[in-house]
């Protein structure tokens, strides 16, 4: 069975600083990988996805993520964070042929002025 | 226009009661889901329906019964509520077929509190 680990429960960064959120997955084959964002009191919104091909994928709101097979990772990055990026971020994995997504436990991002 | 809507947004009830949460999507998707998010933000799938047919049932207690009157609606009925049912319940939908079926659109959630 697939699993997702987000090692950082809570990260605090200054506005304008760069950001990297870590995600490691466990799956027997190449999975489909996703990052979702949950703003306070809101549902989850898809930020970006990886299915195949180019290992660096671009998403909405200036986010990108890089799939590294050798490290079983799919880390999320943003070069310069904005106060509005404060939210909970979830990494998810979905196996081919089964749309059941498995989510990580989330990383809460706090932005300080 | 809200793509995936849920009602109510908040639900406070006592143990032993029966309650329902409604979900509607106007995206034209064939597949809908229910997720439970616990107090530690852990998100776990409960059910999925494709065009009114149950596809995924993740060993959820049979006190939980999803009902899909049509492919735009997936309601969740919970009998004999227990304290452990307190959580945020999210409805989601996705297209069917191909990689797009993995792109799930979530509703705003229903916070259920059982006292």
């Amino acid at each position: 069975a697939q699993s997702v680990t987000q090692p950082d429960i809570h990260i605090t960064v200054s506005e304008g600083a760069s950001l990297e959120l870590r995600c490691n997955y466990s799956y027997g084959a190449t999975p489909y990988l996703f990052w979702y964002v949950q703003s306070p009191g809101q549902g989850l919104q898809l930020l970006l996805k990886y299915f195949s091909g180019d290992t660096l994928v671009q998403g909405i709101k200036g986010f990108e993520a890089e799939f590294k097979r050798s490290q079983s990772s799919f880390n999320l990055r943003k070069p310069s964070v904005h106060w509005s990026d404060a939210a909970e971020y979830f990494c998810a994995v979905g196996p081919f042929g089964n749309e059941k997504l498995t989510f990580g436990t989330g990383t809460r991002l706090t932005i300080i002025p | 226009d809200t793509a995936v809507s849920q009602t109510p947004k908040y639900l406070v009830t006592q143990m032993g009661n029966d309650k329902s949460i409604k979900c509607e999507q106007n995206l034209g998707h064939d597949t809908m889901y229910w997720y439970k998010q616990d107090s530690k933000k852990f998100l776990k799938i409960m059910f999925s329906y494709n065009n009114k047919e149950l596809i995924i049932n993740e060993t959820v207690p049979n006190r939980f019964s999803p009902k899909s009157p049509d492919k735009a609606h997936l309601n969740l009925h919970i009998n004999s509520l227990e304290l452990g049912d307190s959580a945020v319940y999210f409805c989601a939908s996705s297209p069917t077929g191909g990689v797009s079926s993995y792109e799930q659109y979530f509703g705003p959630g229903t916070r259920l509190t059982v006292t």
Side-chain angles (χ1 to χ4, degrees):
Chain A
Q2 69 269 20
S3 66
V4 178
T5 302
Q6 292 181 247
D8 304 305
I9 297 173
H10 185 202
I11 284 183
T12 299
V13 298
S14 299
E15 190 169 13
S18 63
L19 170 71
E20 182 167 24
L21 301 183
R22 296 183 291 166
C23 172
N24 294 98
Y25 68 89
S26 173
Y27 182 60
T30 300
Y32 296 156
L33 295 160
F34 308 84
W35 275 99
Y36 282 82
V37 60
Q38 183 181 19
S39 297
Q42 303 295 316
L44 280 73
Q45 181 184 20
L46 180 64
L47 277 179
L48 46 75
K49 56 191 180 286
Y50 172 79
F51 294 124
S52 65
D54 193 345
T55 56
L56 183 65
V57 293
Q58 303 296 321
I60 62 172
K61 306 185 180 189
F63 285 92
E64 66 178 27
E66 186 171 12
F67 169 59
K68 292 186 177 180
R69 185 191 305 273
S70 61
Q71 298 177 17
S72 297
S73 68
F74 188 57
N75 294 348
L76 182 70
R77 301 194 294 246
K78 187 169 185 178
S80 176
V81 297
H82 186 262
W83 63 266
S84 60
D85 293 325
E88 191 91 21
Y89 290 80
F90 292 91
C91 182
V93 61
F96 174 76
N98 178 344
E99 291 83 0
K100 187 177 79 172
L101 293 181
T102 298
F103 286 84
T105 49
T107 298
R108 183 160 62 97
L109 176 64
T110 298
I111 308 295
I112 57 177
Chain B
D1 274 352
T2 303
V4 182
S5 60
Q6 295 178 227
T7 53
K9 191 168 176 63
Y10 299 96
L11 185 53
V12 181
T13 188
Q14 293 183 329
M15 285 174 52
N17 285 348
D18 302 338
K19 290 294 178 185
S20 292
I21 306 172
K22 295 186 176 182
C23 177
E24 177 181 3
Q25 55 95 3
N26 62 7
L27 297 168
H29 293 162
D30 288 330
T31 305
M32 296 184 71
Y33 311 80
W34 277 109
Y35 285 86
K36 179 180 180 181
Q37 186 177 50
D38 64 22
S39 59
K40 297 186 178 180
K41 298 278 189 175
F42 182 62
L43 194 66
K44 186 169 173 25
I45 191 167
M46 301 172 68
F47 302 102
S48 81
Y49 268 72
N50 181 273
N51 203 11
K52 303 195 296 177
E53 181 181 343
L54 180 65
I55 302 298
I56 294 173
N57 182 340
E58 284 293 302
T59 60
V60 176
N62 57 16
R63 297 183 295 103
F64 291 79
S65 54
K67 287 184 171 51
S68 182
D70 56 60
K71 72 175 191 177
H73 296 83
L74 181 62
N75 304 323
L76 183 65
H77 189 76
I78 315 171
N79 290 327
S80 303
L81 278 154
E82 301 176 357
L83 292 177
D85 297 331
S86 295
V88 180
Y89 292 84
F90 287 100
C91 177
S93 72
S94 69
T96 301
V99 294
S100 294
S101 60
Y102 291 88
E103 298 181 33
Q104 298 182 15
Y105 295 77
F106 283 76
T110 295
R111 182 174 294 276
L112 171 65
T113 303
V114 183
T115 61

